Amino acid sequence: MTIEEMLNKGKKILQEAHIQEADLDAFYLLEFVTGVSRGMYFAMPNKEVSREEVSQYEAYIKERSNYVPLQHLTGEQQFMGLDFSVTPDVLIPRQDTEILVEEALTRIQKPQKILDVCTGSGCILLSILHYAKQEKNISLAGMGVDISEKALDVAKKNAESLGIEVAFLQSDLFEKVDGKWDMIVSNPPYIRTEVIHTLQEEVRLHDPWIALDGKEDGLYFYKSIIKEAGKYLKDEGTLLFEIGHDQAKDVIELLKEAGYTKLGVKKDLAGLDRVVFGVYDRKVSAKD
């Protein structure tokens, strides 16, 4: 079988399974199995592939046609231009979440301490630390916390591969956290429980439920984090969240009630509300 024939077969199977971006996924898996880049492919479409490569490719195509995410097959996902390892134990990093990283970076002008709550793969925290150092020559101290030990294993692997010194702690939100932090970031579970069954198969069947379920109203973790975060933020410290597209008003109100000022919302590339932030004012909080 030639590499062109193998690719066409993969495309056909994924198209018939109604996989979004079937052609692109078929090629990504081709490249993953054979190491043949797009440029190389067009230069040698008649290159023969081994039986082993055909067998491996067909196995991956079959799994993808059953809605196993591409990233779970390749074990990797790019985020903020960096390569991250992913497993079924963590939420796959998504481009929308880059808005949170970018907003955090605009606020970093000097060395400080960053806490990432519900860190998952570590992509948010590690990207902030990486680009603060690379683009601003600012070294940050960071810690990522997560209730899942398996998720933290993935985060530790990513920190090691990126060469970033950072601490990770298994903790149910702030349960085991100590000290004061200049910034807290979080992409917590925020999907209403009743909505999860309506999500794409790749998400509802393969992303960890614990990383999706925001309980009945989708606000459970925002309420919990905002209630406790003031104990761990320095005065004038910043709290930043990723949110669902229809949650900005509710989360802003929660922040306001808890004594946060300088509140704001950032939209994603689709024009949807994506990030909410506020600055903790201890004096305002004390008055409340």
Side-chain angles (χ1 to χ4, degrees):
M1 184 179 290
T2 68
I3 197 166
E4 182 178 38
E5 291 170 337
M6 188 168 78
L7 176 62
N8 288 336
K9 183 177 181 180
K11 286 180 179 180
K12 185 174 185 293
I13 292 172
L14 296 187
Q15 289 167 358
E16 290 176 349
H18 304 291
I19 299 296
Q20 290 187 1
E21 299 185 331
D23 291 3
L24 189 60
D25 285 3
F27 188 86
Y28 277 142
L29 289 173
L30 178 84
E31 184 176 14
F32 182 67
V33 169
T34 66
V36 174
S37 67
R38 187 171 294 274
M40 292 169 62
Y41 169 80
F42 286 114
M44 53 177 74
N46 294 319
K47 170 180 164 49
E48 292 189 357
V49 286
S50 69
R51 290 183 180 179
E52 182 181 355
E53 288 173 325
V54 172
S55 178
Q56 188 177 17
Y57 183 70
E58 289 178 344
Y60 281 137
I61 288 291
K62 182 178 180 180
E63 288 194 76
R64 184 69 189 101
S65 71
N66 289 322
Y67 302 102
V68 175
L70 179 71
Q71 296 86 348
H72 287 177
L73 299 175
T74 64
E76 60 188 20
Q77 170 68 6
Q78 193 170 86
F79 179 83
M80 291 293 298
L82 304 173
D83 292 325
F84 286 89
S85 294
V86 295
T87 74
D89 297 306
V90 299
L91 196 68
I92 297 169
R94 289 164 169 79
Q95 186 178 20
D96 290 339
T97 306
E98 294 183 358
I99 306 298
L100 177 57
V101 174
E102 292 165 357
E103 181 61 26
L105 286 167
T106 65
R107 297 166 176 275
I108 295 171
Q109 306 299 330
K110 60 182 180 180
Q112 53 186 262
K113 294 173 61 180
I114 311 291
L115 178 68
D116 181 12
V117 180
C118 306
T119 194
S121 67
C123 65
I124 294 170
L125 178 62
L126 295 173
S127 296
I128 292 171
L129 299 182
H130 173 83
Y131 285 107
K133 180 64 176 178
Q134 184 183 77
E135 296 181 353
K136 299 186 175 186
N137 197 29
I138 298 174
S139 296
L140 304 175
M143 176 182 284
V145 301
D146 203 288
I147 196 172
S148 168
E149 183 177 3
K150 291 182 177 180
L152 291 174
D153 288 340
V154 176
K156 291 173 184 176
K157 179 180 178 181
N158 284 322
E160 184 177 351
S161 67
L162 292 170
I164 297 174
E165 291 188 16
V166 63
F168 290 106
L169 176 68
Q170 186 177 9
S171 176
D172 185 357
L173 302 182
F174 296 103
E175 179 187 20
K176 298 178 183 178
V177 174
D178 292 318
K180 298 286 187 180
W181 304 82
D182 298 281
M183 180 182 290
I184 297 175
V185 297
S186 184
N187 178 18
Y190 58 72
I191 299 173
R192 297 193 305 277
T193 304
E194 65 177 15
V195 173
I196 294 177
H197 77 279
T198 69
L199 301 176
Q200 289 182 318
E201 288 90 340
E202 286 90 339
V203 178
R204 63 181 171 82
L205 297 179
H206 297 284
D207 272 334
W209 185 282
I210 195 174
L212 300 173
D213 187 12
K215 310 298 182 185
E216 184 177 357
D217 62 359
L219 299 172
Y220 174 85
F221 289 97
Y222 297 115
K223 293 174 182 176
S224 299
I225 292 170
I226 291 170
K227 181 180 178 181
E228 298 293 324
K231 301 174 185 176
Y232 300 93
L233 275 171
K234 295 179 182 179
D235 196 25
E236 297 296 311
T238 306
L239 177 58
L240 301 100
F241 288 116
E242 177 171 337
I243 58 165
H245 68 90
D246 59 351
Q247 294 174 317
K249 182 179 178 181
D250 290 328
V251 178
I252 285 286
E253 188 59 32
L254 289 168
L255 288 167
K256 185 176 180 181
E257 290 174 357
Y260 288 80
T261 61
K262 301 177 183 177
L263 305 170
V265 181
K266 287 290 183 178
K267 296 183 182 296
D268 60 24
L269 295 177
L272 302 174
D273 293 338
R274 184 58 57 188
V275 171
V276 163
F277 53 84
V279 174
Y280 187 66
D281 189 323
R282 204 167 300 281
K283 294 178 182 178
V284 173
S285 179
K287 289 179 183 178
D288 294 340

